[in-house]
Amino acid sequence: MKEDAFSLIPDPPQEAVDMAKKLKRLVGRYYSVLESSFDEKGFYFTVILDKKTHPDNFEALRLALKKMNMFPRVVSKEGEWVIAIFRYPERGRYSIRVNILLLALTVFTTFWAGAILWEDYWGGSAGALEVLTHPRALLYGGLSFGLPLMAILGTHELGHYFVSRRHNVDASLPFFIPIPPLIAPFGTFGALISVRENIPNRRALVEIGAAGPIAGFMMALPVIYIGLKLSTKTLTPDELSGMHYIINLPLIFYFFLKFIPLQQNAALHPTAIAGWIGVFVTALNLLPMGQLDGGHIVRGVFGERAKQISLGFI
């Protein structure tokens, strides 16, 4: 075993040499180091990797490096295992004020969308802009549509957030995406969180990816139930002929309809529509593609084979 790391760059600064020695001692706590080197990009340690102890050792190393603003990666190179260590790039300070501002704007746009749906459900004549002058419609539309929709979307993202924290992965609070209902009928394009570091392993990737859809779906269930219970209005023939769209119901709705029979030509209450959106968003996110939750889950379960699975859905 070589005593010190050797530099891949000429005349390395003493600071880099000292850091290489420090990191070698740190890696040596968890792995047998065969060789070490460094360059401008990072530090590299060829190690003996025991697959039984590696997951716990790597997590301990990752957490120790995190305190030094660094992170590790494991790569296979010419039949040997190499732990590569890099510094995190410089990041600006994170301010929760952006989250609060977007939350407030999305509450407004979803309450606005709810007011439009409320007017439509009860046969009101106010237009999309005029409804802003109707406090009653804004209140009841917001409570019946905006609030449950925000609860579903927020619970979805908080599922990701809390499981990320459980795995010691730095993640932001949810960023809601407001959109005026004049452009998109439901007042939002959803929400997202920002994961600010590499997810350490495939198990964490699966659990973080799955936590959002599970949490959001569980929140959508009572919303659907309440929404169907409130869907007591039936449409007249004139109203049916004047409808601009009819939505198909997900299978979970038919499960609830076994216990909550709707009258023929029943109109969906705004709360039921919020539940429908929640189920739709969950299903969309579970597609095994790209940066969707389903894409994360498939990559965590199947590794490199996930690319072929994703291509099958294109």
Side-chain angles (χ1 to χ4, degrees):
M1 182 187 301
K2 296 185 178 180
E3 183 64 27
D4 296 321
F6 67 88
S7 172
L8 301 177
I9 55 176
D11 300 322
Q14 187 60 41
E15 180 183 1
V17 174
D18 293 340
M19 178 58 71
K21 294 178 180 179
K22 182 178 180 179
L23 290 175
K24 183 177 180 180
R25 290 193 297 269
L26 177 60
V27 174
R29 296 179 190 174
Y30 309 103
Y31 301 91
S32 295
V33 180
L34 302 178
E35 188 176 77
S36 55
S37 61
F38 65 94
D39 58 19
E40 301 96 331
K41 297 180 180 179
F43 303 84
Y44 313 97
F45 303 91
T46 303
V47 300
I48 297 175
L49 190 148
D50 184 339
K51 292 187 177 181
K52 291 183 179 180
T53 60
H54 168 64
D56 291 337
N57 288 341
F58 186 78
E59 179 64 6
L61 176 62
R62 184 183 74 87
L63 294 178
L65 288 170
K66 188 174 181 179
K67 298 176 182 178
M68 302 166 62
N69 199 35
M70 306 179 86
F71 65 94
R73 286 182 178 172
V74 178
V75 295
S76 178
K77 184 178 180 181
E78 298 178 355
E80 295 182 317
W81 292 104
V82 177
I83 293 180
I85 297 176
F86 306 98
R87 297 184 187 277
Y88 277 110
E90 292 293 329
R91 295 181 293 186
R93 291 188 62 184
Y94 167 66
S95 174
I96 197 175
R97 287 179 293 183
V98 176
N99 303 79
I100 295 173
L101 175 61
L102 290 175
L103 172 63
L105 289 173
T106 309
V107 167
F108 170 72
T109 55
T110 54
F111 270 52
W112 181 5
I116 296 171
L117 291 171
W118 181 265
E119 281 283 303
D120 186 57
Y121 182 76
W122 291 112
S125 58
L129 290 175
E130 184 184 355
V131 78
L132 291 173
T133 64
H134 292 201
R136 181 182 176 87
L138 285 170
L139 175 62
Y140 286 105
L143 293 177
S144 64
F145 174 79
L147 188 62
L149 178 59
M150 292 289 289
I152 295 170
L153 298 177
T155 301
H156 180 119
E157 296 306 326
L158 287 175
H160 292 311
Y161 174 81
F162 285 117
V163 176
S164 295
R165 290 294 188 179
R166 187 166 67 84
H167 283 283
N168 293 296
V169 174
D170 187 17
S172 71
L173 289 169
F175 292 93
F176 286 91
I177 307 173
I179 188 75
L182 297 174
I183 300 174
F186 304 128
T188 180
F189 279 153
L192 54 87
I193 66 169
S194 173
V195 177
R196 300 172 179 273
E197 61 179 300
N198 294 319
I199 295 177
N201 52 62
R202 287 166 58 175
R203 177 179 176 179
L205 185 61
V206 171
E207 292 184 0
I208 293 172
I214 292 173
F217 181 73
M218 295 304 294
M219 177 57 71
L221 293 180
V223 172
I224 293 170
Y225 177 82
I226 294 170
L228 291 176
K229 290 284 285 185
L230 293 173
S231 299
T232 57
K233 179 188 174 183
T234 56
L235 298 170
T236 66
D238 289 340
E239 289 174 324
L240 281 171
S241 63
M243 289 187 66
H244 298 292
Y245 56 87
I246 298 176
I247 60 175
N248 293 319
L249 298 180
L251 291 177
I252 189 64
F253 273 68
Y254 290 102
F255 170 78
F256 282 113
L257 288 175
K258 292 182 179 180
F259 310 99
I260 313 170
L262 293 184
Q263 298 184 29
Q264 189 175 10
N265 298 332
L268 279 184
H269 190 271
T271 303
I273 296 176
W276 181 90
I277 296 170
V279 173
F280 175 78
V281 169
T282 299
L284 184 65
N285 268 291
L286 285 174
L287 290 175
M289 301 170 61
Q291 294 302 309
L292 296 176
D293 296 334
H296 296 314
I297 295 169
V298 169
R299 282 195 297 277
V301 173
F302 296 101
E304 291 297 322
R305 290 178 294 168
K307 295 179 181 179
Q308 286 73 34
I309 296 174
S310 296
L311 287 174
F313 281 81
I314 297 178

